[in-house]
């Protein structure tokens, strides 16, 4: 159970960064950290004591494999995380070009 | 399992450094350390496919973030409503932790998953799909629509990035952002 708590602490670090910081890059960093924590939580729930990776081999009969379903879901989620990060960074760079700053309190005019 | 705890504590320390350090480039590098540690944790938890993907994605993510922060290191202000902001943030985190710890007691114990759906996949995966890697057979056969949706999201994100960084009516087009999405 303690390992789930450590995972939650990591998630809370990300949440704190998103809510508290004012630099856009720091907010993106917080989003990335909390995304890592969620992925880690899924893989932790899939682990089995003494389990093996879910790959069959021809000669050996492998009995206790870890849960392959969260692995497949997390595989999808990691790639989507990269795409959203790229989009966020593109928007942040555009904001920097327009306003000359990453500070969200200085970005006041909202019209394009 | 002791190495798992050590790696997780390393990741938490890396995350705190990434959040609190003033220099933006150092912050991005610390996030890279957290991601690479996460990839080793995946390897220990017997998820090699996820570990490989995490490694590749982490490096690409680092390249994109470094491109964004290079030569743009601006000190950011922390003045004004400091107390209120911290109070609201801490309150939110405390509420979240209370609910999460309450719901953690309903989870099966660490190391003993239920595997209600996965039993079928493990039993019939090889016969039905012919793939010896069960994860590949899940994402490409049993749940192929998930992968289709993932490809759609990737395509949409690439179009969004191109739309945002495009400059209309200018000659030089050399400052395109890297779109290394798969």
């Amino acid at each position: 159970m303690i390992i789930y708590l450590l995972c939650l602490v990591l998630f809370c670090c990300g949440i704190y960064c998103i809510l508290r910081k004012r630099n856009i890059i720091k907010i993106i960093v917080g989003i990335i950290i909390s995304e890592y924590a969620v992925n880690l939580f899924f893989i932790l729930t899939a682990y089995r004591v003494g389990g093996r990776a879910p790959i069959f081999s021809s000669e050996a009969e492998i009995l206790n494999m870890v849960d392959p379903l969260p692995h497949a879901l997390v595989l999808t989620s990691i790639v989507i995380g990269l795409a959203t990060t790229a989009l966020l960074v593109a928007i942040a760079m555009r904001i920097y070009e327009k306003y000359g700053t990453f500070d969200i309190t200085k970005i006041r005019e909202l019209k394009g | 399992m002791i190495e798992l705890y050590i790696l997780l504590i390393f990741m938490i320390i890396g995350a705190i450094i990434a959040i609190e350090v003033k220099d933006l480039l150092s912050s991005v590098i610390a996030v890279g350390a957290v991601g690479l540690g996460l990839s080793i944790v995946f390897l220990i938890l017997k998820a090699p496919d996820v570990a490989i993907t995490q490694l590749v994605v982490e490096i690409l993510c680092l390249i994109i973030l470094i491109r964004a922060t290079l030569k743009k290191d601006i000190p950011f202000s922390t003045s004004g409503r400091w107390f209120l902001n911290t109070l609201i943030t801490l309150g939110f985190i405390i509420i979240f932790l209370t609910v999460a710890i309450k719901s953690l007691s309903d989870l099966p114990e660490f190391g003993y998953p239920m595997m209600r759906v996965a039993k079928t996949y493990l039993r019939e995966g090889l016969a039905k799909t012919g793939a010896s890697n069960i994860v590949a057979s899940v994402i490409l056969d049993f749940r192929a629509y998930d992968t289709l949706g993932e490809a759609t999201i990737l395509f949409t994100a690439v179009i969004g990035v191109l739309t945002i960084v495009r400059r209309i009516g200018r000659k030089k087009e050399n400052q395109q952002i890297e779109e290394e999405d798969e």
Side-chain angles (χ1 to χ4, degrees), chain A residues 10 13 25-26 29 31-32 34 36 44 48 53 56 58-59 61 63-64 68-69 77 97 102 105-108 110 112:
Chain A
L10 191 64
C13 288
I25 297 293
K26 287 270 181 175
V29 162
I31 291 172
I32 293 173
S34 40
Y36 285 167
L44 280 177
R48 198 169 174 186
F56 286 110
S58 54
E59 63 265 17
E61 183 80 13
L63 288 176
N64 50 349
L69 188 56
S77 142
E97 267 178 28
F102 277 138
T105 55
K106 303 260 170 61
I107 303 164
R108 294 189 182 278
L110 278 178

Side-chain angles (χ1 to χ4, degrees), chain B residues 99-121:
Chain B
V99 176
I101 289 171
K102 241 185 193 348
S103 61
L104 265 188
S105 57
D106 286 341
L107 271 180
E109 202 181 336
F110 175 66
Y112 300 94
M114 286 199 272
M115 300 179 71
R116 231 174 252 158
V117 184
K119 259 178 209 154
T120 320
Y121 291 158

Side-chain angles (χ1 to χ4, degrees), chain B residues 7-158:
Chain B
L7 272 169
L8 265 173
I9 289 167
F10 166 76
M11 280 168 63
I12 290 170
I13 292 172
I16 290 171
I17 289 173
I19 291 166
E20 287 304 329
V21 78
K22 289 268 187 257
D23 188 26
L24 280 186
L25 194 58
S26 316
S27 165
V28 169
I29 298 295
V31 170
V34 175
L36 295 179
L38 183 65
S39 142
I40 300 173
V41 169
F42 285 161
L43 212 54
I44 291 173
L45 288 172
K46 301 291 188 298
D49 313 82
V50 187
I52 293 167
T53 315
Q54 172 67 32
L55 197 63
V56 173
V57 163
E58 178 54 46
I59 291 166
L60 289 180
C61 194
L62 213 58
I63 291 170
I64 295 173
L65 275 174
I66 286 175
R67 170 73 181 77
T69 56
L70 220 55
K71 293 181 188 168
K72 287 173 190 167
D73 193 22
I74 302 142
F76 43 96
S77 68
T78 49
S79 60
R81 290 194 294 176
W82 185 89
F83 183 71
L84 187 67
N85 277 356
T86 312
L87 203 68
I88 292 170
T89 308
L90 286 183
F92 186 81
I93 287 177
I94 287 170
I95 292 170
F96 168 76
L97 271 183
T98 322
V99 176
I101 289 171
K102 241 185 193 348
S103 61
L104 265 188
S105 57
D106 286 341
L107 271 180
E109 202 181 336
F110 175 66
Y112 300 94
M114 286 199 272
M115 300 179 71
R116 231 174 252 158
V117 184
K119 259 178 209 154
T120 320
Y121 291 158
L122 287 178
R123 200 171 50 238
E124 302 170 0
L126 187 58
K128 277 192 174 171
T129 66
S132 62
N133 189 345
I134 300 294
V135 176
S137 79
V138 169
I139 58 172
L140 293 178
D141 268 305
F142 290 114
R143 286 172 182 264
Y145 281 120
D146 273 6
T147 313
L148 183 67
E150 175 201 343
T152 314
I153 292 174
L154 274 179
F155 186 66
T156 317
V158 170

Side-chain angles (χ1 to χ4, degrees), chain A residues 1-21:
Chain A
M1 246 347 117
I2 286 183
I3 198 134
Y4 289 140
L5 282 181
L6 285 176
C7 186
L8 276 183
V9 169
L10 191 64
F11 185 78
C12 284
C13 288
I15 287 286
Y16 173 80
C17 190
I18 294 171
L19 290 176
R20 184 68 189 82
K21 298 293 172 184

Side-chain angles (χ1 to χ4, degrees), chain A:
Chain A
M1 246 347 117
I2 286 183
I3 198 134
Y4 289 140
L5 282 181
L6 285 176
C7 186
L8 276 183
V9 169
L10 191 64
F11 185 78
C12 284
C13 288
I15 287 286
Y16 173 80
C17 190
I18 294 171
L19 290 176
R20 184 68 189 82
K21 298 293 172 184
R22 298 183 171 187
N23 194 316
I24 295 179
I25 297 293
K26 287 270 181 175
I27 292 174
I28 295 174
V29 162
I31 291 172
I32 293 173
I33 289 173
S34 40
E35 182 195 309
Y36 285 167
V38 172
N39 289 344
L40 176 64
F41 185 76
F42 269 84
I43 299 290
L44 280 177
T45 55
Y47 183 71
R48 198 169 174 186
V49 171
R52 303 278 303 270
I55 299 169
F56 286 110
S57 72
S58 54
E59 63 265 17
E61 183 80 13
I62 298 167
L63 288 176
N64 50 349
M65 288 181 172
V66 295
D67 196 345
L69 188 56
H71 292 189
L73 298 181
V74 168
L75 212 58
T76 311
S77 142
I78 287 174
V79 178
I80 289 175
L82 174 68
T84 49
T85 306
L87 194 57
L88 282 172
V89 169
I91 293 172
M93 288 175 71
R94 197 74 177 151
I95 286 174
Y96 184 84
E97 267 178 28
K98 186 153 177 60
Y99 295 98
T101 178
F102 277 138
D103 194 340
I104 56 170
T105 55
K106 303 260 170 61
I107 303 164
R108 294 189 182 278
E109 308 147 29
L110 278 178
K111 68 176 183 186

